[in-house]
Each structure stands twice: as C-alpha cells, then as structure tokens.
Amino acid sequence: MIVTTKDLFKHAYGKYAVGAYNINNAEQAMGLFRGCIESKSPFIIQISKGARSYTDKRMLEAIIRAADQIFPDAIFAVHLDHGDEAACMDCISSGFYSSIMIDASHESYEKNIEITHRVALAAHAKGIVVEAELGQLGGVEEHVSVSEDKAHLTDPNQARDFVTRSGCDSLACAIGTSHGAFKFSGSQGIHFDVLEKIKNLLPGFPLVMHGSSSVPQDEVARINAAGGVLKGAKGVDENQLLKAAKLGVCKINIDTDGRLVWCRVHREEFKTHPENFDLRPPGKVFMAEYAKYIVHKNTMLGSNNQLDDLRKTL
Ligand code: G3H
Ligand code: 13P
Ligand code: ZN
C-alpha cells in the first residue's frame, strides 16, 4: 500500500526512523520489499533523477506497482530523491509519487525558500508531501557535486523561519554526514549538538538525514579482496542511527550501502565462477543478500515489527 511520508512520520516520530532506500531496477525492488516484509517494517522507496532516466521512469513505476501487488502487506511511500523544480513538477503531475524532495539547498537562502514554496504549493494541491533541504552535505549527487569546503551544516537559527516560509513538510538537515562511500577521513560523525538544537526549535517536526550509509567494513574488505579498489571508504556508525531517530529524525537515507552489496556479490560471483556469463546467478544472490541487509538495517533503525501497529493508524 502506498502512503505518504506524513503518514509514516506521524507513527515514527521520536521512536524510530523509517529507512529510505534508493532503487534503480527490479532486483533492488525485490530485495527491498522482501527485507521489509521479513522485518515487518514500513519503508520509503526513493527514486533519484538518475534512477528515473536509467531505464525509463515508467519502467520503475511499473516495477513498484508490480511489487505492491506481489507484497500486499507492504506499507511504503514513493519518494522523489533530490529533485530540482522541473523533476518535482513532473512527479507531481504523474500522480504516482506520494512524496517529493525539492533540493534547492545549493541556492541562496531566499532562493531556496522561494523555489521550495512554489513546489510545496503545487504538491499540496495534489495531496503530495514535500521534503526540503537546508544546509549542504558534502559528496556527489546526480546533479550537484559539493566539495568539502562548500558543504556546510544547517544553521538551527534559520530552521524555523525556513520551514514556516517555505511550507515544506519535513526538513533534510546537514549534520555532518555526506553522500557516497567516503564520508569521514578521521573520527568525525553526526553533529548531535546541531540536531538537538534543530529539534528543540522545531518540536514535532519531522527531520531527515541524508548520507546515512554505514559503509560496512567487511563489505569493503570483500570487495577489495575480489578485485575492487575502495581505499579509505567509511560511513556513519550505525549504532548512532536510533539516537538520531529519538531526536526527531524520521527518515534515514541509504543508497551507497545497497550499491556495495551489489558490487560485492557481482565481484565475488564472477571471481569464483569465471566461466559464468549468466546474469541470473549473481542476480539471485544479490536479491537475497540485499534483503538480508535491509532486515539488519531496519532493525538498527527500530522500524522492525512496526508494520501492524502502523496499519491500525491508517
Ligand atoms: O543522494 C543521492 C543518491 O545516492 C542517489 O544517487 O543520483 O546517483 O541515483 P544517484
Ligand atoms: P548514502 O550515499 O550515504 O547512501 O546517502 C544516500 C542519500 O542521501 C540519498 O538521498
Ligand atoms: Zn541524499
């Protein structure tokens, strides 16, 4: 069942976080749905601009519609990840997305508010909810690359003004994480002091944390042992995710970890079976391994076993 992120956040706020996982193809969709059903977790499917054009946006929508039928117990939101204004408007008019992110965080403060407000008006008219971003994460996203010196944390003092004037329904905050597999060079981590300030200034308002992959070190080691070259890859300590959830983070974005599972499975498969040229053997292993990863991550987010209770609130 497709619901809005607002429905999910109402149930999760202050207790657990909903995993927001990016998908690009049918194998990722199958692993994600299997893992969320097994862990009895609500979830958010994220589709980036790059994912929409990887095959065709209609292909991804069809995959998700099919998965909704194959897994009738699933409760999830379909969300546009890091949309610009044009992508947001396209998703609003498609009628398929229950939630969109307008990412104008690279613009000036006033311009960010202006663009977000325009998108929020159009989205709300169709019952679609809107995530916006204040502050800037480091790392690479599909349409924006942000160097470490340009990245900046969310200013808690701007948060309330931004939310009120832009009309967004949830706020992605830059609190020390970044996109991709190389998040920290030393012992940096989530800036809980900044998060706590934002939460206190916006009590009850759903916050979002991007760049939340944990980049499991055993995964990186296996990739490297099978021919990969990922030196110094490091992610967010997954033991800190639930702490962030208790401080109002309702949505935790994870993409890179799924790519690492894909990379490890395929490298190992073709190293162990160099004679193989069939896509299905690694595809089957990937779906099972990704489902296993999702079960584990949902447990770390505290979203496991929430499905039945959430269903009663809808
Ligand atoms: O934050 C970005 C996500 O990881 C999506 O990545 O734009 O390459 O699909 P992508
Ligand atoms: P990661 O690169 O840490 O997986 O972050 C994904 C993300 O924020 C998608 O919006
Ligand atoms: Zn992101």
XYZ file of all heavy atoms in Angstrom, residues 82 179 210 253, ligand 3:
39
model
N 16.120 14.136 -4.123
C 16.912 15.249 -4.676
C 16.363 15.786 -6.002
O 17.097 15.872 -7.006
C 18.376 14.841 -4.878
C 19.094 14.594 -3.592
N 19.499 15.614 -2.757
C 19.462 13.440 -2.975
C 20.088 15.105 -1.693
N 20.065 13.783 -1.794
N 27.185 12.322 1.149
C 26.810 11.248 0.233
C 28.027 10.410 -0.165
O 29.135 10.913 -0.208
C 26.154 11.830 -1.027
C 24.825 12.453 -0.762
N 24.620 13.806 -0.749
C 23.616 11.893 -0.485
C 23.342 14.060 -0.483
N 22.712 12.919 -0.314
N 20.229 12.653 5.339
C 20.789 12.087 4.103
C 22.175 11.521 4.414
O 22.710 11.704 5.503
C 20.897 13.188 3.038
C 19.595 13.511 2.401
N 19.335 13.271 1.080
C 18.447 14.042 2.917
C 18.100 13.643 0.796
N 17.540 14.123 1.895
N 18.271 8.172 4.953
C 18.506 7.858 3.533
C 19.721 6.959 3.328
O 20.833 7.287 3.768
C 18.771 9.157 2.777
C 17.513 9.941 2.516
O 16.483 9.732 3.168
N 17.573 10.851 1.570
Zn 20.669 12.484 -0.316
